[in-house]
Amino acid sequence: MRLGSGAFAASCVAIEVLGVAIFLRGFFPAPVRSSSRTEHRAEPPAPEPAAGAHSNWTKLPPPLFNKVVIVLIDALRDDFVFGSKGVKYMPYTSYLVEKGASHSFVAEAKPPTVTMPRIKERETLSPSLLVLCGDHGMSETGSHGASSTEEVSTPLILISSSFERRPGDIRHPKRVQQTDLAATLAIGLGLPIPKDSVGSLLFPVVEGKPVREQLRFLHLNTVQLSKLLQENMPSYEKDPGFEQFKMAERLHGNWVKLHLEENRSDVLLSLGTKVLRQYLGALKTLSLSLSTQVAQYDIYSMAVGTVVVLEVLTLLLLSTPQALCRGADLEVPLRSPVFSLLFYLVFLVLSAIHVIVCTSATSSCYLCSLPWPVAGGLMVLVSALLCAIVSTLTRTVIESTLLRKNAALPSSRWSEMDLLLMLGTAGHVLSLGASSFVEEEHQTWYFLVNTLCLALSQETCRSCFPGDDSKPQHSVHMLQDSAVYRAPILHRAGHTSPSSEALGGHTRWAILASPWLVLACCRLLRSLNQTGVQGAHRPDLGLWLTSSDHKVELSGLAALSLLVIFLLVQRGCSLVSRAALALGLLGVFCYRAAIGNVLFPWQPGNKGFSKGIIEARFVYVFVLGILFTGTKDLLKSQVIAADFKIKTVGLWEIYSGLVLLAALLLRPHNLPVLAFSLLIQTVMTKFIWKPLRHDAAEITVMHYWFGQAFFYFQGNSNNIATIDISAGFVGLDTYMEIPATFLTVFGTYVGPVLWASHLAHFLSSEASSRACFCYALICSVPVATYLILVTSLRYHLFIWSVFSPKLLYEGMHLLITAALCALFTAADQ
């Protein structure tokens, strides 16, 4: 089976998306939920157990409190209340803890933080309850979000007049779980315990009640937890907590029988004490089992997802020599006898492993819950990929052996630019294993882009001023048989070219100045938005522009940026698209003026603002019109005319439509980012890539680098909090999930998308399929590596605050890459 390199790469990335999705499903803990969903009708409470006797207690016990007031203090650490610090900074609270009618605990917040449920305030004559607590703690430096002892330990103080406190009764705070508060408040208010709650009753709250009521409270809590365990754990009967619960329920029934018989002997007292201990032990074990289930990784799903991604990456690497040859198709050996035999053998082994894992699993597993046809299809995919790798490796070894016998091959070596791009990309991938480098990843890309500019400056100097003793160097680039562009050609290692004196003086100096211009633009953009962890708090130009005192300056800068965008984009558009682009950019400014971000010169500062829905939809019409025109030209060039010029115009118009959409979604202070992006693309195209005859692989890697850098130039980071969700509501009067998701994702990944789209247009002449392959390969390497790193670091201190958000970003970036590869492939057909 033969496939073009572009179609092969697009297929590989699509399979990688599937593998990453399976990994994410196994990595992020599935919530423990009850399968019964009675939203409007509450289930009747479990009856009180009775051994042979009839118990008339089938309703919920009366509430203990009239109302609850929760005082939630952000980042309140336990030692801020208990101990010497509490006496100094919170003296009255310390007095209540030591001598008042209160119960004190140290509540542990499991990362990720569990949100406390909201409970609705029933009016009775019962006393009130005041809850003082913190959502999480903080480290000694004031940060939080990780899982250190200082960050997860929070005070939990329950204050009520119903609590009795004897003089001299010194109570040390016990360590409990933060999730225990939900069950405690529900019982205290006479409400059913939330079905999805994994917490247990804080027993000191009810220890002043009669024994029968205490046992009733504990029984209701254990019944709720046991039901939740049955619905989420296949082998729940073997769980120690479930066995304890059954034993406690039997003993409870015996106690109720004695109690109803009005037996007041010591046997009733000792049996009640034993039942209490049994219930408390069952509650602790059940809660621990369910909490472990919440925080447990699905290693089987993670392993299968990682294997799929690694298989695809290996297949891409082995196919690189053949895929990068000019006009070559890839031979995918799906019909050979050896392939068939190996395929069936691997499939049987994987099916056996799947059966063993699913039958011996003590916890829920996503892949085991899938229907057998779906799971079998996944095994077929893994087997086929492995067999394709073996076949490709065998063919590569045979071809390499034959090539070594050819003595006519010239000696070759890597060029300096090839080494820089390869080592820079590899260095970035390796840096993902350190939390500090993930938090400050923008610094890595800024460094790589700046280094690239300096290397290009050196290359332009060598090309414009070749020495008399310069010897032509033979270099092997990442792409063989590189495409030749019709542009002024300068001397470059490995290429013969006419003398540089043939160029005009202005052209030569423009070429020499272009890397420094790009470097200056990048430096200006770094000052626009501070990002990351270390520098996010520092003042930047964007903060200055968005202040209400500088709205006039922001308006002028936004108008100038929109004008620059039009001048740089309109040059490749048809007359109709050019007019639509101009009107669309005007609509962008009108939209921002309507919502109050910018001002027209004649607009008063206190004018009432609107949502700008009409103005935004006005722009959407032109975006869709330009995209439709570009798609029509692209199809026309492929189906009807087969005209390269029409194809180029169609790709540029699609790119122009995406630029207009980006201008609408980006905030006004980020419009210079879009303008500088277009300026750098223009400068690099005219004065770097074409004159210096960079091959398609080098150009692809440079586009990838700049796309990643511009992702951070617009203020993004690897923190979920920096996502600008306002982009998902531009032009929408109500929330619509699909449009809002698409707009938010596009607004976040404007940089990578626009640079990849520019790459598709730039290499549309001869090398778009090879560019697709290179882009897929360079995006696959960090994803595959990061899956391995996250798996090995899954118990790291910063796994939830640093590594897991980056994992989500990488997964979404891979999904966007799949869409871009589909665009590459469609343009190359």
Side-chain angles (χ1 to χ4, degrees), residues 107-115 135-136 145-148 151-154 175-179 198 287-288 290-292 294-295 800:
E108 181 180 351
K110 294 289 186 182
T113 305
V114 178
T115 304
D135 55 349
H136 53 76
S147 56
S148 64
E151 292 173 88
V152 300
S153 299
T154 64
R175 198 163 194 89
V176 298
Q177 298 299 316
Q178 204 176 50
T179 52
V198 298
S287 180
L288 180 61
L290 290 169
S291 300
T292 304
V294 171
W800 296 113

Side-chain angles (χ1 to χ4, degrees), residues 705-717:
W705 281 21
F706 275 105
Q708 291 298 103
F710 273 87
F711 173 82
Y712 295 102
F713 281 148
Q714 69 182 84
N716 291 320
S717 70

Side-chain angles (χ1 to χ4, degrees), residues 351-409:
S351 299
I353 294 175
H354 182 74
V355 171
I356 294 174
V357 171
C358 294
T359 54
S360 62
T362 58
S363 60
S364 60
C365 178
Y366 172 68
L367 293 181
C368 295
S369 64
L370 294 177
W372 272 103
V374 179
L378 186 59
M379 299 301 122
V380 168
L381 177 62
V382 175
S383 304
L385 288 174
L386 182 59
C387 295
I389 290 173
V390 173
S391 301
T392 305
L393 180 61
T394 303
R395 186 180 64 248
T396 303
V397 172
I398 295 175
E399 292 177 353
S400 301
T401 304
L402 295 176
L403 287 176
R404 288 194 192 98
K405 298 179 180 180
N406 187 359
L409 286 176

Side-chain angles (χ1 to χ4, degrees), residues 154-184:
T154 64
L156 176 59
I157 304 175
L158 307 180
I159 305 171
S160 175
S161 59
S162 64
F163 300 150
E164 298 180 358
R165 188 71 171 268
R166 299 176 182 176
D169 185 6
I170 301 177
R171 302 176 180 176
H172 298 286
K174 297 181 180 179
R175 198 163 194 89
V176 298
Q177 298 299 316
Q178 204 176 50
T179 52
D180 296 339
L181 185 61
T184 303

Side-chain angles (χ1 to χ4, degrees), residues 232-537:
N232 290 273
M233 187 173 292
S235 56
Y236 67 92
E237 294 180 347
K238 301 179 182 179
D239 187 81
F242 188 80
E243 295 176 353
Q244 287 180 291
F245 161 65
K246 287 300 182 181
M247 176 63 70
E249 198 172 39
R250 287 194 295 268
L251 294 176
H252 189 185
N254 294 331
W255 186 92
V256 171
K257 180 180 179 181
L258 292 176
H259 177 77
L260 294 177
E261 293 175 353
E262 297 184 355
N263 188 330
R264 297 295 182 265
S265 63
D266 294 338
V267 176
L268 182 68
L269 179 61
S270 61
L271 182 59
T273 304
K274 183 177 181 180
V275 176
L276 281 176
R277 288 200 302 266
Q278 195 74 18
Y279 268 134
L280 291 174
L283 279 177
K284 183 178 181 180
T285 308
L286 287 171
S287 180
L288 180 61
S289 299
L290 290 169
S291 300
T292 304
Q293 181 80 7
V294 171
Q296 190 173 16
Y297 296 103
D298 184 356
I299 299 297
Y300 182 45
S301 299
M302 292 171 60
V304 172
T306 304
V307 167
V308 171
V309 175
L310 289 177
E311 284 182 329
V312 172
L313 177 60
T314 305
L315 193 58
L316 285 171
L317 291 172
L318 292 175
S319 305
T320 300
Q322 184 183 2
L324 296 185
C325 291
R326 187 189 191 107
D329 291 335
L330 291 175
E331 181 66 32
V332 183
L334 296 179
R335 299 180 180 178
S336 64
V338 177
F339 181 94
S340 301
L341 180 61
L342 182 61
F343 168 79
Y344 287 119
L345 179 61
V346 174
F347 176 73
L348 290 176
V349 172
L350 292 179
S351 299
I353 294 175
H354 182 74
V355 171
I356 294 174
V357 171
C358 294
T359 54
S360 62
T362 58
S363 60
S364 60
C365 178
Y366 172 68
L367 293 181
C368 295
S369 64
L370 294 177
W372 272 103
V374 179
L378 186 59
M379 299 301 122
V380 168
L381 177 62
V382 175
S383 304
L385 288 174
L386 182 59
C387 295
I389 290 173
V390 173
S391 301
T392 305
L393 180 61
T394 303
R395 186 180 64 248
T396 303
V397 172
I398 295 175
E399 292 177 353
S400 301
T401 304
L402 295 176
L403 287 176
R404 288 194 192 98
K405 298 179 180 180
N406 187 359
L409 286 176
S411 59
S412 59
R413 66 180 181 86
W414 291 82
S415 69
E416 294 178 355
M417 183 58 64
D418 293 335
L419 290 174
L420 172 63
L421 296 175
M422 183 184 65
L423 293 178
T425 303
H428 163 258
V429 171
L430 294 177
S431 70
L432 297 178
S435 60
S436 298
F437 278 94
V438 174
E439 291 176 334
E440 307 296 325
E441 188 181 358
H442 61 286
Q443 299 287 6
T444 302
W445 289 113
Y446 295 167
F447 172 79
L448 291 178
V449 169
N450 292 344
T451 305
L452 176 62
C453 292
L454 295 177
L456 290 174
S457 175
Q458 182 186 29
E459 194 173 47
T460 54
C461 291
R462 289 179 178 177
S463 301
C464 290
F465 305 104
D468 296 336
D469 56 347
S470 63
K471 298 180 180 179
Q473 302 174 2
H474 299 281
S475 63
V476 175
H477 301 291
M478 294 179 226
L479 178 64
Q480 301 174 4
D481 195 12
S482 59
V484 178
Y485 305 100
R486 294 180 178 89
I489 305 300
L490 297 183
H491 178 80
R492 187 167 180 260
H495 296 279
T496 58
S497 62
S499 173
S500 61
E501 282 76 7
L503 296 171
H506 295 291
T507 304
R508 180 195 298 181
W509 291 113
I511 293 174
L512 289 171
S514 56
W516 299 101
L517 176 61
V518 173
L519 186 62
C521 292
C522 293
R523 184 60 189 91
L524 288 175
L525 289 174
R526 289 183 60 179
S527 304
L528 185 61
N529 292 302
Q530 295 287 352
T531 185
V533 175
Q534 300 297 329
H537 63 281

Side-chain angles (χ1 to χ4, degrees), residues 31-225:
V32 174
R33 292 179 178 175
S34 173
S35 59
S36 58
R37 291 296 170 191
T38 54
E39 298 291 342
H40 304 287
R41 180 176 58 87
E43 291 183 352
E48 184 182 42
H54 176 70
S55 173
N56 58 357
W57 199 348
T58 58
K59 297 181 180 179
L60 288 174
L64 305 178
F65 309 108
N66 174 23
K67 59 182 178 180
V68 174
V69 178
I70 299 179
V71 180
L72 180 63
I73 302 177
D74 184 30
L76 183 63
R77 205 167 66 190
D78 61 330
D79 61 341
F80 292 175
V81 177
F82 309 129
S84 59
K85 291 184 179 179
V87 174
K88 180 178 180 181
Y89 296 110
M90 305 181 72
Y92 182 69
T93 304
S94 299
Y95 168 78
L96 292 177
V97 169
E98 295 177 359
K99 300 180 180 180
S102 65
H103 293 292
S104 304
F105 308 92
V106 176
E108 181 180 351
K110 294 289 186 182
T113 305
V114 178
T115 304
M116 299 179 185
R118 294 170 293 177
I119 298 182
K120 298 179 181 179
E121 304 315 340
R122 183 177 301 178
E123 291 293 336
T124 65
L125 298 178
S126 304
S128 301
L129 174 68
L130 176 64
V131 179
L132 175 64
C133 58
D135 55 349
H136 53 76
M138 66 168 66
S139 64
E140 293 296 335
T141 60
S143 63
H144 57 80
S147 56
S148 64
T149 303
E150 294 80 6
E151 292 173 88
V152 300
S153 299
T154 64
L156 176 59
I157 304 175
L158 307 180
I159 305 171
S160 175
S161 59
S162 64
F163 300 150
E164 298 180 358
R165 188 71 171 268
R166 299 176 182 176
D169 185 6
I170 301 177
R171 302 176 180 176
H172 298 286
K174 297 181 180 179
R175 198 163 194 89
V176 298
Q177 298 299 316
Q178 204 176 50
T179 52
D180 296 339
L181 185 61
T184 303
L185 292 182
I187 289 177
L189 292 172
L191 298 174
I193 300 175
K195 297 177 182 179
D196 297 337
S197 172
V198 298
S200 59
L201 171 67
L202 298 176
F203 184 71
V205 175
V206 299
E207 63 182 356
K209 297 296 178 180
V211 176
R212 187 179 185 185
E213 291 188 21
Q214 295 180 20
L215 296 179
R216 177 63 171 157
F217 292 141
L218 295 175
H219 177 251
L220 290 173
N221 197 182
T222 50
V223 167
Q224 176 260 328
L225 290 180

